[in-house]
Amino acid sequence: MKHCVVDIETMGVLPTSAILSIGAVIFDPNGNKPSIEQFYVNVDPQTCLDLGLTKCQSTMDWWKTQPQPIRDALKTNRIGLNDALTSFMAFYNKHGCERVWGHGSIFDITILSNAFKAVGIKYTPWKFSQVMDTRTIFDPTGVVLDYSKEHHNALYDAQRQANAVCEAIQLIKTWRSAYERLNQIEEQV
């Protein structure tokens, strides 16, 4: 079973926001070593703006407060949005993922979906029923993302989220197993 966590860095928080980078990790949610393969690309923001995607001044001001190495990393090896999305789609489809995860139900996946439409790609590589939200699984399990290392790098954030999804799934399986054992004991009493 293969899943994909995708994380993006953007020029805003609206569904129409321009994308700065796309990071993704293919992982096995049942595995001890979750990361199978990864994808990363920086996007030329002008290609997004030329397609009518947007930037938000408050987000741009926030980016100015981020460490210089993080901002500089977003400026290397940029490619156009169409090429970035086509490459990401090929990466995603190659693995035949059963689920795609975003950190939040209305951010990464929604912005990517709008970007696909903006470049004329009618369909996302995933079906609506395959979309998962990391925050929905992290909250009840108490899993917290480790931000002790670099933050706001789409690939590192996707790796962190994939590891945390695996941790949360293992917790749920442990709880389910304990519940089943308790039911067996109760039936014997």
Side-chain angles (χ1 to χ4, degrees):
M1 175 186 301
K2 292 181 183 176
H3 289 200
C4 178
V5 169
V6 63
D7 189 88
I8 59 175
E9 299 304 329
T10 65
M11 297 177 82
V13 295
L14 297 174
T16 57
S17 293
I19 297 171
L20 297 171
S21 65
I22 304 169
V25 173
I26 303 296
F27 70 103
D28 176 356
N30 299 309
N32 293 329
K33 186 178 179 189
S35 182
I36 296 171
E37 195 169 336
Q38 47 197 29
F39 173 90
Y40 181 81
V41 66
N42 285 327
V43 179
D44 178 350
Q46 190 58 52
T47 63
C48 298
L49 298 172
D50 290 347
L51 290 166
L53 297 177
T54 60
K55 66 179 177 178
C56 174
Q57 190 56 50
S58 62
T59 301
M60 300 310 294
D61 291 343
W62 174 84
W63 273 114
K64 291 175 186 173
T65 70
Q66 298 307 297
Q68 191 66 43
I70 291 173
R71 290 184 285 152
D72 289 345
L74 291 168
K75 297 175 184 175
T76 61
N77 303 318
R78 290 175 172 170
I79 64 173
L81 180 62
N82 189 61
D83 291 339
L85 292 174
T86 301
S87 295
F88 171 69
M89 183 179 278
F91 168 81
Y92 184 89
N93 288 336
K94 176 175 90 171
H95 292 286
C97 295
E98 294 179 24
R99 298 280 186 265
V100 61
W101 294 79
H103 193 53
S105 61
I106 60 169
F107 193 74
D108 305 277
I109 304 298
T110 301
I111 293 172
L112 279 169
S113 296
N114 280 317
F116 278 114
K117 290 176 190 167
V119 299
I121 299 173
K122 294 182 182 183
Y123 303 102
T124 61
W126 52 81
K127 297 176 183 166
F128 74 93
S129 58
Q130 295 174 310
V131 175
M132 306 294 284
D133 172 21
T134 60
R135 289 182 177 139
T136 300
I137 195 170
F138 295 164
D139 186 49
T141 58
V143 171
V144 177
L145 289 173
D146 175 14
Y147 286 115
S148 61
K149 296 182 182 174
E150 189 171 344
H151 186 43
H152 297 300
N153 171 297
L155 180 57
Y156 295 150
D157 289 349
Q159 290 169 333
R160 224 182 325 266
Q161 292 162 33
N163 289 333
V165 166
C166 289
E167 180 184 346
I169 288 172
Q170 292 307 314
L171 279 170
I172 291 169
K173 286 181 177 185
T174 300
W175 297 338
R176 183 185 301 153
S177 177
Y179 178 76
E180 289 169 359
R181 283 194 305 272
L182 284 173
N183 278 340
Q184 289 172 353
I185 293 169
E186 191 174 274
E187 288 173 5
Q188 294 173 358
V189 174

